[in-house]
Amino acid sequence: MKLFNSSKNKRIKDLENMNKELQNNVIKKNYDGFDMYRNYSESNNYQLSIENAIKLYKECAPFFMVVDKIINSYAEIPLRIFDTKKNEYLENHPVLDLLKKPNYDCTEFEFKETLAINFLVTGNSFLYANGNIKKPPLEVFNMNSLFFNANSIGIDVINQIPKSWQYNNNKPIIFDNKETINGLKFYNGDDQELYHIKKYNPCQYITDFFGMSKAYPLFQEMESYIAGNNNNSSLLKNGARPSSAFVNTSGEELSDKQFERAQQQIKNFQGSDNTGKPLILDGLEYREMSQNNRDMQFKEMQDSMLSRIANVYGVPLALLLDSTMTLNNLQTARLHLDKDAVIPLSKRINEELTKFLLSRYPDSEYLEFAIDISSIESLKPEVLSNALLMKQIGVNTKNEIRSELGYMHLEGGDELPTEQQLNMSDFINNNEDKDEEEDENEDEEKNYKEFYSYMKKEQKNDKEIKALWVLSNMK
Protein backbone atom coordinates (compact mmCIF):
# COMPACT_ATOMS: atom_id res chain seq x y z
CA MET A 1 0.00 0.00 0.00
CA LYS A 2 2.88 2.38 0.83
CA LEU A 3 4.44 1.59 -2.54
CA PHE A 4 1.15 2.31 -4.29
CA ASN A 5 0.66 5.64 -2.48
CA SER A 6 4.26 6.62 -3.17
CA SER A 7 3.83 5.85 -6.89
CA LYS A 8 0.53 7.75 -7.00
CA ASN A 9 2.01 10.78 -5.26
CA LYS A 10 4.97 10.77 -7.62
CA ARG A 11 2.62 10.66 -10.61
CA ILE A 12 0.62 13.61 -9.30
CA LYS A 13 3.81 15.57 -8.62
CA ASP A 14 5.08 14.85 -12.17
CA LEU A 15 1.80 16.05 -13.65
CA GLU A 16 1.88 19.24 -11.59
CA ASN A 17 5.45 19.95 -12.74
CA MET A 18 4.41 19.30 -16.33
CA ASN A 19 1.50 21.66 -15.82
CA LYS A 20 3.78 24.47 -14.64
CA GLU A 21 6.23 23.89 -17.50
CA LEU A 22 3.53 23.92 -20.16
CA GLN A 23 1.88 27.01 -18.71
CA ASN A 24 5.21 28.82 -19.03
CA ASN A 25 5.58 27.77 -22.66
CA VAL A 26 1.98 28.10 -23.83
CA ILE A 27 1.18 30.82 -26.36
CA LYS A 28 -1.24 33.58 -25.43
CA LYS A 29 -3.67 34.63 -28.15
CA ASN A 30 -6.34 37.31 -28.21
CA TYR A 31 -9.70 36.81 -29.90
CA ASP A 32 -12.16 39.70 -30.13
CA GLY A 33 -11.50 41.08 -26.68
CA PHE A 34 -10.77 37.93 -24.66
CA ASP A 35 -7.66 35.92 -23.95
CA MET A 36 -7.31 32.20 -24.44
CA TYR A 37 -4.42 29.85 -23.70
CA ARG A 38 -4.21 27.30 -26.44
CA ASN A 39 -1.63 25.44 -28.56
CA TYR A 40 -1.51 26.70 -32.15
CA SER A 41 -0.20 24.82 -35.14
CA GLU A 42 1.05 27.97 -36.85
CA SER A 43 3.62 28.17 -34.03
CA ASN A 44 4.91 24.66 -34.80
CA ASN A 45 3.03 23.07 -31.89
CA TYR A 46 1.55 19.59 -32.16
CA GLN A 47 -2.09 20.69 -32.39
CA LEU A 48 -4.27 21.75 -35.27
CA SER A 49 -6.11 24.58 -33.53
CA ILE A 50 -9.87 25.00 -33.63
CA GLU A 51 -9.31 28.33 -35.37
CA ASN A 52 -7.24 26.72 -38.14
CA ALA A 53 -9.66 23.80 -38.54
CA ILE A 54 -12.49 26.28 -39.15
CA LYS A 55 -10.28 28.14 -41.61
CA LEU A 56 -9.68 24.92 -43.54
CA TYR A 57 -13.42 24.26 -43.68
CA LYS A 58 -14.09 27.76 -45.00
CA GLU A 59 -11.26 27.98 -47.53
CA CYS A 60 -10.46 24.43 -48.67
CA ALA A 61 -13.22 23.48 -51.12
CA PRO A 62 -12.52 19.70 -51.15
CA PHE A 63 -12.69 19.63 -47.33
CA PHE A 64 -16.00 21.51 -47.37
CA MET A 65 -17.41 19.14 -50.03
CA VAL A 66 -16.54 16.00 -48.06
CA VAL A 67 -17.92 17.28 -44.75
CA ASP A 68 -21.05 18.61 -46.43
CA LYS A 69 -21.75 15.24 -48.07
CA ILE A 70 -21.61 13.46 -44.68
CA ILE A 71 -23.63 16.12 -42.87
CA ASN A 72 -26.49 16.16 -45.36
CA SER A 73 -26.92 12.40 -45.03
CA TYR A 74 -26.59 12.40 -41.23
CA ALA A 75 -29.04 15.23 -40.61
CA GLU A 76 -31.76 13.41 -42.59
CA ILE A 77 -31.74 10.41 -40.21
CA PRO A 78 -34.66 10.84 -37.78
CA LEU A 79 -33.93 10.79 -34.05
CA ARG A 80 -35.43 7.72 -32.37
CA ILE A 81 -35.59 6.53 -28.76
CA PHE A 82 -35.05 2.81 -28.15
CA ASP A 83 -36.11 0.94 -24.99
CA THR A 84 -33.38 -1.66 -24.42
CA LYS A 85 -35.45 -3.45 -21.78
CA LYS A 86 -38.56 -3.90 -23.95
CA ASN A 87 -36.48 -4.11 -27.15
CA GLU A 88 -38.66 -1.63 -29.03
CA TYR A 89 -38.67 1.92 -30.37
CA LEU A 90 -40.75 4.51 -28.55
CA GLU A 91 -43.19 6.43 -30.68
CA ASN A 92 -43.19 9.49 -28.40
CA HIS A 93 -40.93 10.95 -25.73
CA PRO A 94 -40.51 14.49 -24.28
CA VAL A 95 -36.86 14.66 -25.40
CA LEU A 96 -37.94 14.16 -29.03
CA ASP A 97 -40.37 17.04 -28.64
CA LEU A 98 -37.54 19.17 -27.23
CA LEU A 99 -35.19 18.41 -30.12
CA LYS A 100 -37.82 19.23 -32.74
CA LYS A 101 -37.35 22.81 -31.53
CA PRO A 102 -34.17 22.81 -29.40
CA ASN A 103 -34.33 26.57 -28.80
CA TYR A 104 -36.07 29.71 -29.98
CA ASP A 105 -33.88 30.06 -33.09
CA CYS A 106 -33.12 26.52 -34.21
CA THR A 107 -34.77 23.52 -35.87
CA GLU A 108 -33.93 19.85 -35.35
CA PHE A 109 -32.14 19.65 -38.71
CA GLU A 110 -30.09 22.77 -37.99
CA PHE A 111 -29.21 21.57 -34.49
CA LYS A 112 -27.96 18.20 -35.76
CA GLU A 113 -26.15 19.82 -38.68
CA THR A 114 -24.26 22.30 -36.48
CA LEU A 115 -23.40 19.65 -33.89
CA ALA A 116 -22.01 17.26 -36.51
CA ILE A 117 -20.05 19.95 -38.41
CA ASN A 118 -18.36 21.14 -35.22
CA PHE A 119 -17.38 17.57 -34.36
CA LEU A 120 -16.16 16.59 -37.85
CA VAL A 121 -14.24 19.81 -38.51
CA THR A 122 -12.72 20.67 -35.13
CA GLY A 123 -13.00 17.39 -33.21
CA ASN A 124 -15.03 19.22 -30.54
CA SER A 125 -18.67 20.07 -29.86
CA PHE A 126 -19.97 21.98 -26.87
CA LEU A 127 -23.65 21.68 -25.92
CA TYR A 128 -25.41 23.96 -23.46
CA ALA A 129 -28.72 23.25 -21.70
CA ASN A 130 -30.69 25.61 -19.48
CA GLY A 131 -33.33 24.87 -16.87
CA ASN A 132 -33.14 23.23 -13.45
CA ILE A 133 -30.29 20.72 -13.64
CA LYS A 134 -32.37 18.15 -11.72
CA LYS A 135 -35.18 18.32 -14.28
CA PRO A 136 -35.47 17.94 -18.06
CA PRO A 137 -33.81 20.86 -19.92
CA LEU A 138 -35.87 23.73 -21.28
CA GLU A 139 -33.59 24.55 -24.24
CA VAL A 140 -30.45 23.14 -25.83
CA PHE A 141 -27.84 25.12 -27.79
CA ASN A 142 -24.69 24.42 -29.81
CA MET A 143 -21.84 26.59 -28.52
CA ASN A 144 -18.89 27.96 -30.48
CA SER A 145 -15.77 25.96 -29.57
CA LEU A 146 -13.54 28.97 -30.30
CA PHE A 147 -14.72 30.74 -27.18
CA PHE A 148 -13.82 28.03 -24.67
CA ASN A 149 -10.70 27.52 -22.61
CA ALA A 150 -10.03 25.09 -19.79
CA ASN A 151 -8.96 25.92 -16.26
CA SER A 152 -6.15 23.48 -15.52
CA ILE A 153 -5.48 24.74 -11.99
CA GLY A 154 -6.61 22.09 -9.52
CA ILE A 155 -7.58 19.63 -12.26
CA ASP A 156 -8.93 16.15 -11.71
CA VAL A 157 -5.66 14.27 -12.28
CA ILE A 158 -7.20 10.79 -12.32
CA ASN A 159 -9.97 11.53 -14.83
CA GLN A 160 -7.86 14.02 -16.83
CA ILE A 161 -10.60 16.63 -17.09
CA PRO A 162 -10.35 20.35 -16.31
CA LYS A 163 -11.51 21.88 -13.08
CA SER A 164 -13.78 24.14 -15.08
CA TRP A 165 -14.57 25.41 -18.57
CA GLN A 166 -14.73 29.12 -19.25
CA TYR A 167 -16.84 30.55 -22.08
CA ASN A 168 -15.42 33.92 -23.15
CA ASN A 169 -17.87 35.83 -25.33
CA ASN A 170 -18.74 39.28 -24.00
CA LYS A 171 -19.37 38.21 -20.39
CA PRO A 172 -17.32 35.16 -19.20
CA ILE A 173 -19.31 32.16 -17.98
CA ILE A 174 -17.62 29.50 -15.83
CA PHE A 175 -18.85 25.89 -15.70
CA ASP A 176 -17.44 24.00 -12.71
CA ASN A 177 -16.77 20.27 -12.55
CA LYS A 178 -19.15 18.47 -10.15
CA GLU A 179 -19.62 14.82 -9.23
CA THR A 180 -23.17 13.46 -9.79
CA ILE A 181 -24.85 10.05 -9.80
CA ASN A 182 -24.57 10.17 -13.61
CA GLY A 183 -20.87 10.93 -13.61
CA LEU A 184 -18.86 14.16 -13.79
CA LYS A 185 -20.82 17.17 -15.04
CA PHE A 186 -20.10 20.85 -15.67
CA TYR A 187 -22.57 23.32 -14.16
CA ASN A 188 -22.96 27.05 -13.80
CA GLY A 189 -25.25 27.40 -10.83
CA ASP A 190 -28.38 25.24 -10.69
CA ASP A 191 -29.81 26.06 -14.10
CA GLN A 192 -27.00 25.81 -16.69
CA GLU A 193 -25.13 22.71 -17.88
CA LEU A 194 -22.27 22.35 -20.35
CA TYR A 195 -21.43 19.12 -22.17
CA HIS A 196 -18.25 18.54 -24.18
CA ILE A 197 -18.04 16.01 -27.02
CA LYS A 198 -14.51 15.46 -28.27
CA LYS A 199 -12.55 13.30 -30.66
CA TYR A 200 -9.69 11.24 -29.27
CA ASN A 201 -6.51 13.29 -28.90
CA PRO A 202 -3.27 11.25 -28.62
CA CYS A 203 -1.35 14.40 -27.62
CA GLN A 204 -3.65 15.52 -24.81
CA TYR A 205 -1.69 17.24 -22.08
CA ILE A 206 -2.60 18.56 -18.70
CA THR A 207 -3.27 22.04 -20.12
CA ASP A 208 -5.13 20.95 -23.24
CA PHE A 209 -8.42 19.11 -22.99
CA PHE A 210 -9.63 19.56 -26.55
CA GLY A 211 -10.19 16.78 -29.06
CA MET A 212 -8.10 16.39 -32.21
CA SER A 213 -9.67 17.19 -35.57
CA LYS A 214 -9.86 14.33 -38.02
CA ALA A 215 -8.38 16.73 -40.58
CA TYR A 216 -5.09 16.95 -38.66
CA PRO A 217 -3.16 14.36 -40.77
CA LEU A 218 -3.95 16.43 -43.89
CA PHE A 219 -3.41 19.84 -42.34
CA GLN A 220 -0.23 20.75 -44.23
CA GLU A 221 -1.57 19.48 -47.57
CA MET A 222 -4.74 21.51 -47.18
CA GLU A 223 -2.78 24.63 -46.28
CA SER A 224 -0.70 24.10 -49.45
CA TYR A 225 -3.93 23.78 -51.42
CA ILE A 226 -5.24 27.07 -49.99
CA ALA A 227 -1.91 28.78 -50.69
CA GLY A 228 -2.03 27.50 -54.28
CA ASN A 229 -5.53 28.88 -54.73
CA ASN A 230 -4.48 32.23 -53.30
CA ASN A 231 -1.49 32.28 -55.62
CA ASN A 232 -3.64 31.60 -58.68
CA SER A 233 -6.17 34.21 -57.59
CA SER A 234 -3.39 36.75 -57.19
CA LEU A 235 -2.10 35.95 -60.67
CA LEU A 236 -5.53 36.48 -62.17
CA LYS A 237 -6.02 39.78 -60.36
CA ASN A 238 -2.63 40.97 -61.63
CA GLY A 239 -3.06 39.84 -65.21
CA ALA A 240 -1.85 36.25 -64.68
CA ARG A 241 0.89 34.74 -66.84
CA PRO A 242 0.70 36.38 -70.31
CA SER A 243 -0.26 33.98 -73.11
CA SER A 244 1.65 36.00 -75.70
CA ALA A 245 3.73 39.13 -76.22
CA PHE A 246 4.35 41.81 -78.89
CA VAL A 247 8.10 42.36 -79.28
CA ASN A 248 9.74 45.41 -80.87
CA THR A 249 12.24 44.00 -83.37
CA SER A 250 13.07 47.29 -85.14
CA GLY A 251 16.06 47.94 -82.91
CA GLU A 252 14.82 51.42 -82.06
CA GLU A 253 13.04 52.39 -78.86
CA LEU A 254 9.40 53.33 -79.32
CA SER A 255 8.41 56.89 -78.53
CA ASP A 256 5.66 57.49 -75.98
CA LYS A 257 3.22 58.26 -78.79
CA GLN A 258 4.14 55.05 -80.67
CA PHE A 259 3.83 52.97 -77.47
CA GLU A 260 0.38 54.37 -76.69
CA ARG A 261 -0.72 53.74 -80.29
CA ALA A 262 0.51 50.13 -80.11
CA GLN A 263 -1.32 49.58 -76.81
CA GLN A 264 -4.55 50.95 -78.29
CA GLN A 265 -4.21 48.65 -81.33
CA ILE A 266 -3.80 45.59 -79.09
CA LYS A 267 -6.85 46.56 -77.01
CA ASN A 268 -8.91 46.81 -80.21
CA PHE A 269 -8.25 43.11 -80.92
CA GLN A 270 -8.88 41.78 -77.39
CA GLY A 271 -12.08 40.03 -76.32
CA SER A 272 -14.29 37.26 -77.70
CA ASP A 273 -16.01 39.60 -80.22
CA ASN A 274 -12.71 40.17 -82.02
CA THR A 275 -11.76 36.49 -82.35
CA GLY A 276 -10.39 35.74 -85.82
CA LYS A 277 -9.78 39.34 -86.91
CA PRO A 278 -6.40 39.88 -88.66
CA LEU A 279 -3.78 41.77 -86.69
CA ILE A 280 -2.06 44.89 -88.00
CA LEU A 281 1.45 44.96 -86.56
CA ASP A 282 3.48 48.13 -87.03
CA GLY A 283 7.07 47.11 -86.38
CA LEU A 284 6.07 44.54 -83.73
CA GLU A 285 6.53 40.77 -83.73
CA TYR A 286 3.87 38.51 -82.11
CA ARG A 287 5.20 35.67 -79.93
CA GLU A 288 3.24 32.98 -78.06
CA MET A 289 4.36 31.98 -74.56
CA SER A 290 4.20 28.34 -73.38
CA GLN A 291 2.26 27.22 -70.28
CA ASN A 292 4.30 26.32 -67.21
CA ASN A 293 4.15 22.66 -66.09
CA ARG A 294 3.40 23.74 -62.50
CA ASP A 295 0.26 25.50 -63.74
CA MET A 296 -0.91 22.41 -65.61
CA GLN A 297 -0.34 20.23 -62.50
CA PHE A 298 -2.50 22.41 -60.24
CA LYS A 299 -5.72 20.74 -61.40
CA GLU A 300 -4.17 17.34 -60.64
CA MET A 301 -3.32 18.58 -57.14
CA GLN A 302 -6.95 19.63 -56.63
CA ASP A 303 -8.29 16.18 -57.53
CA SER A 304 -5.62 14.48 -55.42
CA MET A 305 -6.51 16.64 -52.41
CA LEU A 306 -10.19 15.75 -52.76
CA SER A 307 -9.34 12.05 -52.98
CA ARG A 308 -7.14 12.11 -49.86
CA ILE A 309 -9.71 13.96 -47.74
CA ALA A 310 -12.48 11.66 -48.96
CA ASN A 311 -10.44 8.60 -47.93
CA VAL A 312 -9.79 9.96 -44.43
CA TYR A 313 -13.48 10.76 -43.87
CA GLY A 314 -14.86 7.61 -45.53
CA VAL A 315 -16.63 9.27 -48.47
CA PRO A 316 -16.53 7.40 -51.82
CA LEU A 317 -15.00 9.51 -54.58
CA ALA A 318 -17.84 8.55 -56.93
CA LEU A 319 -20.18 10.82 -54.94
CA LEU A 320 -17.86 13.82 -55.31
CA LEU A 321 -16.49 13.67 -58.86
CA ASP A 322 -18.79 13.39 -61.87
CA SER A 323 -15.98 11.80 -63.86
CA THR A 324 -15.94 8.77 -61.53
CA MET A 325 -19.72 8.46 -61.14
CA THR A 326 -21.71 5.83 -63.06
CA LEU A 327 -25.18 4.35 -62.64
CA ASN A 328 -23.57 1.07 -61.61
CA ASN A 329 -21.38 2.42 -58.80
CA LEU A 330 -23.69 5.17 -57.50
CA GLN A 331 -25.82 2.86 -55.34
CA THR A 332 -22.75 1.05 -54.02
CA ALA A 333 -21.03 4.36 -53.28
CA ARG A 334 -24.06 5.59 -51.36
CA LEU A 335 -24.09 2.37 -49.33
CA HIS A 336 -20.39 2.80 -48.44
CA LEU A 337 -20.97 6.44 -47.44
CA ASP A 338 -23.69 5.43 -45.00
CA LYS A 339 -21.78 2.47 -43.57
CA ASP A 340 -18.31 4.05 -43.36
CA ALA A 341 -19.12 7.65 -42.43
CA VAL A 342 -22.76 8.44 -41.62
CA ILE A 343 -23.66 5.54 -39.32
CA PRO A 344 -20.45 5.74 -37.19
CA LEU A 345 -21.00 9.49 -36.77
CA SER A 346 -24.66 8.96 -35.88
CA LYS A 347 -23.83 6.27 -33.31
CA ARG A 348 -21.23 8.46 -31.63
CA ILE A 349 -23.54 11.48 -31.39
CA ASN A 350 -26.45 9.32 -30.21
CA GLU A 351 -24.33 7.94 -27.37
CA GLU A 352 -23.37 11.47 -26.30
CA LEU A 353 -26.95 12.78 -26.50
CA THR A 354 -28.11 9.81 -24.40
CA LYS A 355 -25.57 10.65 -21.72
CA PHE A 356 -26.23 14.39 -21.85
CA LEU A 357 -30.02 14.64 -22.24
CA LEU A 358 -31.78 11.40 -21.33
CA SER A 359 -30.09 11.20 -17.94
CA ARG A 360 -32.16 14.25 -16.91
CA TYR A 361 -35.49 12.55 -17.63
CA PRO A 362 -37.27 10.26 -15.15
CA ASP A 363 -37.53 6.53 -15.89
CA SER A 364 -34.83 6.75 -18.57
CA GLU A 365 -32.48 4.06 -17.26
CA TYR A 366 -33.13 1.74 -20.21
CA LEU A 367 -33.66 4.40 -22.87
CA GLU A 368 -31.14 5.50 -25.47
CA PHE A 369 -30.96 7.41 -28.74
CA ALA A 370 -30.67 4.86 -31.54
CA ILE A 371 -30.46 4.70 -35.33
CA ASP A 372 -33.44 3.37 -37.20
CA ILE A 373 -31.52 1.56 -39.95
CA SER A 374 -34.70 1.02 -41.94
CA SER A 375 -34.98 4.80 -42.42
CA ILE A 376 -31.71 4.88 -44.39
CA GLU A 377 -32.57 4.38 -48.06
CA SER A 378 -29.37 2.58 -49.10
CA LEU A 379 -29.75 0.01 -46.30
CA LYS A 380 -33.41 -0.86 -46.84
CA PRO A 381 -32.70 -3.94 -49.05
CA GLU A 382 -30.31 -5.27 -46.40
CA VAL A 383 -32.85 -4.65 -43.62
CA LEU A 384 -35.59 -6.42 -45.58
CA SER A 385 -33.30 -9.38 -46.26
CA ASN A 386 -32.43 -9.68 -42.57
CA ALA A 387 -36.10 -9.52 -41.60
CA LEU A 388 -36.95 -12.16 -44.19
CA LEU A 389 -34.21 -14.44 -42.88
CA MET A 390 -35.50 -14.01 -39.33
CA LYS A 391 -38.97 -14.91 -40.55
CA GLN A 392 -37.79 -18.01 -42.43
CA ILE A 393 -35.71 -19.33 -39.55
CA GLY A 394 -38.78 -19.16 -37.33
CA VAL A 395 -37.07 -18.52 -33.99
CA ASN A 396 -38.02 -14.81 -33.78
CA THR A 397 -41.31 -13.32 -32.69
CA LYS A 398 -43.31 -10.88 -34.82
CA ASN A 399 -42.31 -8.00 -32.58
CA GLU A 400 -38.62 -8.87 -32.84
CA ILE A 401 -38.92 -8.75 -36.61
CA ARG A 402 -40.86 -5.49 -36.39
CA SER A 403 -38.08 -4.01 -34.25
CA GLU A 404 -35.62 -4.96 -36.98
CA LEU A 405 -37.77 -2.96 -39.40
CA GLY A 406 -38.14 -0.03 -37.02
CA TYR A 407 -41.87 -0.66 -36.44
CA MET A 408 -43.80 -0.35 -33.19
CA HIS A 409 -44.63 -3.55 -31.29
CA LEU A 410 -48.09 -5.12 -31.60
CA GLU A 411 -50.13 -6.56 -28.79
CA GLY A 412 -49.76 -10.33 -28.82
CA GLY A 413 -46.73 -10.11 -31.09
CA ASP A 414 -44.33 -11.76 -28.65
CA GLU A 415 -45.39 -15.30 -29.57
CA LEU A 416 -43.26 -17.49 -31.82
CA PRO A 417 -44.68 -18.13 -35.32
CA THR A 418 -46.75 -21.28 -35.88
CA GLU A 419 -45.97 -23.97 -38.43
CA GLN A 420 -48.75 -22.68 -40.68
CA GLN A 421 -47.22 -19.22 -40.75
CA LEU A 422 -43.81 -20.64 -41.58
CA ASN A 423 -45.28 -22.40 -44.61
CA MET A 424 -45.67 -18.98 -46.21
CA SER A 425 -41.89 -18.75 -46.57
CA ASP A 426 -41.78 -22.21 -48.17
CA PHE A 427 -44.40 -21.06 -50.65
CA ILE A 428 -42.25 -18.14 -51.75
CA ASN A 429 -39.08 -20.23 -52.07
CA ASN A 430 -40.83 -22.87 -54.20
CA ASN A 431 -42.26 -20.37 -56.68
CA GLU A 432 -39.31 -18.76 -58.42
CA ASP A 433 -40.94 -19.01 -61.85
CA LYS A 434 -44.24 -17.22 -61.26
CA ASP A 435 -45.74 -17.89 -64.72
CA GLU A 436 -45.20 -21.66 -65.01
CA GLU A 437 -45.53 -23.23 -61.58
CA GLU A 438 -48.93 -23.71 -59.95
CA ASP A 439 -49.71 -23.53 -56.29
CA GLU A 440 -52.29 -25.42 -54.30
CA ASN A 441 -53.74 -22.14 -53.09
CA GLU A 442 -54.94 -20.37 -56.26
CA ASP A 443 -56.03 -17.18 -54.52
CA GLU A 444 -52.65 -16.86 -52.82
CA GLU A 445 -50.87 -17.40 -56.12
CA LYS A 446 -53.02 -14.80 -57.88
CA ASN A 447 -52.39 -12.22 -55.16
CA TYR A 448 -48.70 -12.88 -55.25
CA LYS A 449 -48.53 -12.45 -59.05
CA GLU A 450 -50.35 -9.14 -58.83
CA PHE A 451 -48.05 -8.05 -56.03
CA TYR A 452 -44.99 -9.16 -58.01
CA SER A 453 -46.12 -7.29 -61.14
CA TYR A 454 -46.76 -4.10 -59.22
CA MET A 455 -43.40 -4.22 -57.44
CA LYS A 456 -41.58 -4.80 -60.73
CA LYS A 457 -43.11 -1.56 -61.99
CA GLU A 458 -41.71 0.07 -58.86
CA GLN A 459 -38.27 -1.23 -59.94
CA LYS A 460 -37.87 -3.63 -57.03
CA ASN A 461 -35.65 -6.69 -57.49
CA ASP A 462 -36.78 -10.26 -56.76
CA LYS A 463 -35.05 -10.33 -53.39
CA GLU A 464 -36.82 -7.19 -52.19
CA ILE A 465 -40.17 -8.38 -53.56
CA LYS A 466 -39.94 -11.67 -51.65
CA ALA A 467 -39.07 -9.87 -48.42
CA LEU A 468 -41.88 -7.35 -48.81
CA TRP A 469 -44.41 -10.10 -49.60
CA VAL A 470 -43.53 -12.14 -46.52
CA LEU A 471 -43.54 -9.09 -44.28
CA SER A 472 -46.88 -7.85 -45.67
CA ASN A 473 -48.45 -11.19 -44.69
CA MET A 474 -47.32 -11.03 -41.06
CA LYS A 475 -50.46 -11.00 -38.96
Side-chain angles (χ1 to χ4, degrees):
M1 181 60 71
K2 290 183 178 180
L3 181 62
F4 172 78
N5 289 333
S6 175
S7 176
K8 179 180 177 181
N9 292 334
K10 184 178 184 301
R11 172 61 177 162
I12 293 175
K13 187 175 180 179
D14 290 343
L15 287 171
E16 290 175 347
N17 291 335
M18 186 188 300
N19 181 20
K20 292 178 182 178
E21 181 180 352
L22 288 171
Q23 285 181 334
N24 292 332
N25 296 327
V26 77
I27 299 166
K28 187 176 182 180
K29 285 276 183 173
N30 182 276
Y31 288 92
D32 301 327
F34 69 89
D35 293 333
M36 291 181 66
Y37 289 90
R38 191 86 56 81
N39 291 302
Y40 286 85
S41 54
E42 63 265 32
S43 303
N44 296 321
N45 289 303
Y46 63 84
Q47 277 280 40
L48 166 63
S49 70
I50 291 175
E51 181 192 33
N52 273 337
I54 294 172
K55 176 187 175 184
L56 295 179
Y57 178 68
K58 291 167 59 179
E59 299 183 15
C60 182
F63 186 32
F64 180 91
M65 287 174 60
V66 169
V67 172
D68 195 56
K69 184 66 68 174
I70 299 173
I71 296 304
N72 287 339
S73 297
Y74 161 72
E76 291 176 355
I77 301 176
L79 290 171
R80 300 291 301 272
I81 300 295
F82 189 75
D83 190 326
T84 57
K85 186 176 182 180
K86 297 180 180 179
N87 195 34
E88 67 174 332
Y89 289 96
L90 300 186
E91 188 172 359
N92 299 299
H93 192 276
V95 74
L96 297 179
D97 296 332
L98 170 67
L99 293 178
K100 286 179 182 177
K101 186 69 174 176
N103 56 69
Y104 65 91
D105 192 35
C106 185
T107 63
E108 178 182 332
F109 187 95
E110 184 182 357
F111 176 80
K112 292 163 62 180
E113 181 184 48
T114 305
L115 168 58
I117 288 176
N118 285 336
F119 185 69
L120 285 179
V121 173
T122 70
N124 298 272
S125 286
F126 286 89
L127 298 177
Y128 165 85
N130 60 25
N132 192 314
I133 58 176
K134 296 181 180 180
K135 297 180 180 180
L138 300 178
E139 293 179 304
V140 183
F141 296 83
N142 282 293
M143 305 291 277
N144 193 332
S145 302
L146 265 177
F147 299 134
F148 281 96
N149 65 302
N151 176 13
S152 59
I153 300 176
I155 65 163
D156 184 331
V157 177
I158 303 300
N159 294 291
Q160 283 292 284
I161 60 173
K163 187 68 176 177
S164 63
W165 284 103
Q166 182 172 339
Y167 182 71
N168 300 277
N169 188 10
N170 295 326
K171 183 179 179 181
I173 304 174
I174 296 177
F175 297 88
D176 294 316
N177 175 357
K178 293 184 180 179
E179 182 76 40
T180 72
I181 59 174
N182 294 313
L184 295 169
K185 302 277 189 176
F186 287 91
Y187 296 126
N188 176 263
D190 295 328
D191 58 356
Q192 298 181 78
E193 180 180 358
L194 181 72
Y195 189 80
H196 181 207
I197 305 173
K198 66 178 180 179
K199 192 78 176 172
Y200 168 69
N201 185 356
C203 300
Q204 181 169 309
Y205 279 89
I206 203 166
T207 56
D208 183 17
F209 301 92
F210 292 87
M212 186 184 80
S213 170
K214 204 170 182 178
Y216 177 71
L218 299 173
F219 171 50
Q220 291 184 335
E221 288 94 329
M222 283 194 276
E223 281 215 320
S224 298
Y225 174 91
I226 294 172
N229 272 341
N230 292 338
N231 178 68
N232 279 10
S233 177
S234 179
L235 284 174
L236 290 172
K237 288 178 181 178
N238 293 287
R241 184 186 302 279
S243 59
S244 58
F246 294 91
V247 182
N248 179 15
T249 58
S250 63
E252 298 180 1
E253 184 177 353
L254 296 177
S255 66
D256 291 344
K257 185 175 181 180
Q258 289 174 318
F259 182 78
E260 291 176 2
R261 179 169 173 262
Q263 276 192 320
Q264 186 60 44
Q265 280 186 326
I266 294 171
K267 288 180 180 179
N268 291 338
F269 289 94
Q270 287 179 333
S272 58
D273 293 337
N274 297 312
T275 302
K277 286 185 179 181
L279 289 171
I280 301 175
L281 304 176
D282 186 8
L284 299 177
E285 179 184 344
Y286 177 76
R287 294 181 184 176
E288 288 189 327
M289 304 182 75
S290 61
Q291 188 178 24
N292 190 292
N293 287 334
R294 284 178 61 186
D295 298 331
M296 292 187 291
Q297 291 175 354
F298 183 72
K299 180 63 171 65
E300 296 179 8
M301 185 193 78
Q302 286 182 311
D303 293 343
S304 174
M305 188 76 262
L306 180 60
S307 177
R308 287 170 62 82
I309 297 173
N311 286 336
V312 169
Y313 278 84
V315 177
L317 206 57
L319 297 176
L320 302 170
L321 290 177
D322 293 338
S323 59
T324 62
M325 185 186 301
T326 66
L327 291 176
N328 292 331
N329 68 13
L330 185 59
Q331 186 174 2
T332 302
R334 179 69 196 209
L335 178 63
H336 281 292
L337 170 68
D338 289 330
K339 283 191 169 183
D340 299 339
V342 177
I343 291 179
L345 173 65
S346 184
K347 285 183 176 180
R348 173 65 192 274
I349 292 179
N350 283 344
E351 289 176 355
E352 302 290 355
L353 289 178
T354 298
K355 186 177 177 182
F356 175 47
L357 294 178
L358 281 177
S359 61
R360 292 179 60 165
Y361 286 84
D363 303 322
S364 61
E365 181 181 359
Y366 298 102
L367 302 184
E368 63 181 25
F369 282 93
I371 308 171
D372 180 6
I373 299 295
S374 63
S375 66
I376 302 176
E377 192 65 32
S378 65
L379 295 176
K380 283 185 177 179
E382 183 176 327
V383 172
L384 291 173
S385 297
N386 291 339
L388 175 60
L389 182 60
M390 292 170 67
K391 171 70 176 177
Q392 291 173 334
I393 293 174
V395 296
N396 297 98
T397 65
K398 297 172 188 177
N399 281 340
E400 287 174 337
I401 299 176
R402 291 179 66 85
S403 291
E404 178 71 16
L405 295 167
Y407 297 159
M408 300 296 297
H409 282 195
L410 295 176
E411 187 177 351
D414 292 323
E415 298 178 0
L416 289 172
T418 63
E419 184 177 353
Q420 182 180 3
Q421 290 171 324
L422 291 174
N423 288 336
M424 181 65 68
S425 298
D426 296 333
F427 165 75
I428 297 300
N429 292 329
N430 294 330
N431 285 276
E432 292 293 333
D433 190 346
K434 313 300 181 305
D435 295 323
E436 295 180 1
E437 293 186 18
E438 295 183 357
D439 189 81
E440 296 178 358
N441 191 332
E442 294 182 359
D443 291 337
E444 199 70 34
E445 182 181 10
K446 181 180 178 181
N447 291 337
Y448 181 74
K449 286 182 178 181
E450 291 176 356
F451 182 82
Y452 182 86
S453 176
Y454 173 78
M455 287 298 173
K456 275 296 184 182
K457 291 178 182 179
E458 294 292 319
Q459 299 183 341
K460 301 292 185 182
N461 58 44
D462 288 350
K463 192 174 183 180
E464 290 178 283
I465 293 173
K466 290 179 183 180
L468 288 169
W469 171 254
V470 172
L471 296 171
S472 66
N473 282 276
M474 290 176 59
K475 298 179 182 181

